Amino acid sequence: MRLSRAFLPTLKETPAEAQIASHRLMLRAGMVRQTSAGIYAWLPAGLRVLQKVAQIVREEQDRAGAQEILMPTVQNADLWRQSGRYEDYGEEMLRFKDRHQREMLFGPTNEEMVTDIFKDFAKSYRDLPRNLYHIQWKFRDERRPRFGVMRGREFLMKDAYSFDVSQEAAQHSYRQMFLAYLRTFARLGLKAIPMRADTGPIGGNLSHEFIILAETGESQVFVSQDLLDLDPLADTPDFASDLTPHVDRWTQHYAATEEMHDEAAWTAVPEAKRVSARGIEVGHIFYFGTKYSAAMGLTVQGADGKPIIPEMGSYGIGVSRLVGAIIEASHDEAGIIWPDAVAPFAAAILNLKAGDATCDALCGQLYAALGADAVYDDRDVRPGQKFAEADLSGYPWQAIIGPRGAANGRIELKRRATGVREELSLEDAIARIRGA
RNA sequence: CGGGGCGUGGCGCAGCCUGGUAGCGCGCCUGUUUUGGGUACAGGAGGUCGUGGGUUCGAUUCCCGCCGCCCCGACCA
């Protein structure tokens, strides 16, 4: 993308409504634009990041055996009356009527719908297990939307739903998602910590929140350093095998949010290993048994001919929230520092003297080699502005090309995260950017 | 939902208390200048002062209603 032609409305000053870093930076970097309280339009730079996050989420869901579908945003109220949640959900549910006066709603989640869809398919225990997910916009009419895309009313969520023949089988599905989540967040460049969560009225202990550490996090978390030292990508499990040992590695260490904090267990953690920090919830998984399958009338026939009510779980990742959360976890005074995996562009090519034949030629060669994964700042503006905006937008690499170096075919490559600069040939610069 | 605050060119703000036909910085346009960290100078364009009503000769300013947005708290991907 040539910046001279791009729709990238960066701001030098911060809009007054933005309080936290990610919101400020997303507005300044031209990623989003607010259209109503808690509702945002995604502009090209923001959309690219959102799509990259979604794609990683998708790949890891697929790897764990879940299958992608796409359910609608608008649902019929009758579906929700079957589970009894139409009345329970309250003001957070956006309700409206269609032209025939039918009561409709904008889906805040999809347990009822997915169960209803699955019901028509599943006849036999042989049709289990299945795990269906989609990545779709949700609407929850929050009392107080805030923090930009981190607590919007409309948000993009990945929600998966598992159907199993027994509790034991359902726990296997749960572990698959548990490990898939660890891999997902690690690939996004985040350190996510699974924490036991309150299961609410369902009971049992199978609910975990996945929380990333960031100074501006909403909740206080307590975690053992041993847990932070684990690498989710180090051992890739066979998702069909018994996953218990893999999950146990992660659940044996202390980790809790304020609500679940156990002072006695905490003091048992060696003092040097106690990490107390702020966290942002980016994922939440539950096992909830037959709550929805029973309510929606989902049964399959067992091997003995008797009906079985499938055991279910649901698994959510806040995709649009993650974009904000990543920035919270990775920024500095100058702007965003994107992890390589989700950066809108891998590199920015800064032509310090657009119009100079030598600079133009070298920039053109690099741009041709990097293609769609690079932005080329070919604008006729001061170098200082290019530096400032490239730092703000957070591209992992900045290829700085000015008259001095270009005369010798040299490119100055700056790593955004570290500030380290190297002088490289065209070929070496291309290799460095591609190799990251 | 309880408490607090704010709506004035694209963005950040002043003016309002003490009514008299709107101003500053950034950004934008033109020209000159500058060319390795948001350059400098000059000249421009751009505003139903959120909205409806009231008071007044006259309302951005005073009064009332409404709408929108933000912040703090209790709840949530």
Side-chain angles (χ1 to χ4, degrees):
Chain A
M1 173 62 63
R2 284 176 183 267
L3 273 192
S4 61
R5 309 296 297 165
F7 183 59
L8 187 70
T10 57
L11 298 171
K12 207 167 166 180
E13 289 174 281
T14 306
E17 73 267 16
Q19 294 298 312
I20 62 165
S22 62
H23 192 194
R24 266 197 325 264
L25 292 171
M26 286 181 77
L27 291 171
R28 286 196 54 212
M31 294 175 64
V32 291
R33 189 201 144 119
Q34 182 173 333
T35 61
S36 294
I39 303 179
Y40 292 84
W42 292 74
L43 309 185
L47 183 59
R48 286 181 71 99
V49 176
L50 187 68
Q51 288 173 334
K52 286 193 176 187
V53 171
Q55 183 55 27
I56 289 172
V57 169
R58 179 176 286 122
E59 287 169 12
E60 294 302 325
Q61 290 292 292
D62 291 347
R63 183 198 304 274
Q67 298 175 63
E68 186 169 15
I69 61 176
L70 184 59
M71 292 180 272
T73 55
V74 174
Q75 306 186 26
N76 190 305
D78 288 341
L79 209 48
W80 285 69
R81 290 207 173 88
Q82 289 183 49
S83 68
R85 285 164 108 193
Y86 191 64
E87 287 71 32
D88 294 348
Y89 222 93
E91 297 275 295
E92 284 204 1
M93 181 185 278
L94 178 61
R95 302 153 200 257
F96 46 89
K97 289 179 178 167
D98 68 13
R99 67 194 302 162
H100 303 294
Q101 301 304 308
R102 281 188 288 250
E103 294 177 86
M104 310 296 282
L105 58 101
F106 197 115
T109 178
N110 287 65
E111 279 84 1
E112 285 82 356
M113 182 174 276
V114 74
T115 305
D116 191 59
I117 290 169
F118 191 68
K119 186 171 75 169
D120 290 340
F121 156 81
K123 306 298 179 203
S124 158
Y125 72 98
R126 296 173 194 274
D127 293 327
L128 303 176
R130 290 292 189 278
N131 186 328
L132 305 177
Y133 76 97
H134 74 340
I135 298 173
Q136 177 65 291
W137 293 92
K138 306 292 188 292
F139 195 94
R140 295 184 190 172
D141 203 352
E142 296 276 346
R143 289 189 185 93
R144 178 149 105 85
R146 59 186 131 168
F147 305 146
V149 299
M150 292 221 297
R151 169 84 53 89
R153 292 194 293 170
E154 187 180 63
F155 58 96
L156 188 62
M157 181 164 90
K158 186 286 299 180
D159 39 325
Y161 304 91
S162 63
F163 301 89
D164 280 280
V165 71
S166 66
Q167 284 194 20
E168 193 171 56
Q171 288 176 17
H172 181 252
S173 293
Y174 184 91
R175 292 185 198 107
Q176 287 178 323
M177 288 293 108
F178 185 102
L179 295 169
Y181 275 34
L182 290 173
R183 284 188 54 86
T184 302
F185 297 125
R187 284 189 57 195
L188 292 171
L190 296 169
K191 181 71 83 178
I193 305 149
M195 300 196 182
R196 287 264 302 274
D198 193 357
T199 48
I202 308 299
N205 63 354
L206 279 182
S207 178
H208 285 86
E209 291 178 2
F210 288 77
I211 292 188
I212 63 165
L213 301 184
E215 282 178 23
T216 46
E218 288 188 73
S219 44
Q220 185 71 32
V221 298
F222 304 88
V223 57
S224 164
Q225 182 63 46
D226 290 329
L227 193 47
L228 295 173
D229 291 339
L230 291 176
D231 177 7
L233 300 176
D235 80 312
T236 303
D238 171 359
F239 279 91
S241 70
D242 179 15
L243 298 171
T244 311
H246 295 95
V247 172
D248 286 349
R249 287 181 61 221
W250 290 85
T251 53
Q252 64 184 314
H253 302 293
Y254 188 84
T257 58
E258 212 160 12
E259 303 81 61
M260 300 289 282
H261 190 47
D262 176 354
E263 198 59 39
W266 180 237
T267 44
V269 176
E271 192 160 2
K273 293 197 169 182
R274 289 181 210 161
V275 178
S276 172
R278 306 294 295 178
I280 300 168
E281 182 184 351
V282 289
H284 200 157
I285 61 178
F286 312 73
Y287 160 68
F288 49 67
T290 60
K291 179 175 179 180
Y292 297 99
S293 43
M296 306 301 290
L298 166 62
T299 60
V300 298
Q301 198 166 25
D304 58 2
K306 293 180 177 165
I308 294 170
I309 302 176
E311 300 279 329
M312 292 177 61
S314 75
Y315 315 91
I317 290 179
V319 176
S320 49
R321 168 179 285 188
L322 269 168
V323 176
I326 290 167
I327 296 171
E328 287 299 327
S330 183
H331 69 273
D332 63 15
E333 282 303 302
I336 301 166
I337 303 171
W338 288 115
D340 293 297
V342 299
F345 295 94
I349 301 162
L350 307 187
N351 187 342
L352 297 192
K353 191 163 186 178
D356 176 274
T358 313
C359 287
D360 289 353
L362 188 54
C363 286
Q365 285 178 284
L366 181 57
Y367 184 45
L370 295 175
D373 215 19
V375 279
Y376 175 21
D377 194 343
D378 59 337
R379 296 172 303 169
D380 181 24
V381 300
R382 300 269 305 182
Q385 185 175 343
K386 299 192 179 193
F387 294 135
E389 291 184 5
D391 284 348
L392 172 64
S393 292
Y395 312 112
W397 297 101
Q398 292 173 17
I400 300 165
I401 296 173
R404 297 180 197 162
N408 309 312
R410 306 298 282 178
I411 292 170
E412 182 180 328
L413 199 61
K414 175 185 158 185
R415 182 71 172 162
R416 176 66 177 87
T418 59
V420 172
R421 295 158 190 269
E422 306 172 81
E423 283 234 337
L424 300 171
S425 67
L426 176 65
E427 293 70 28
D428 290 344
I430 293 167
R432 291 287 275 139
I433 292 166
R434 287 199 177 141

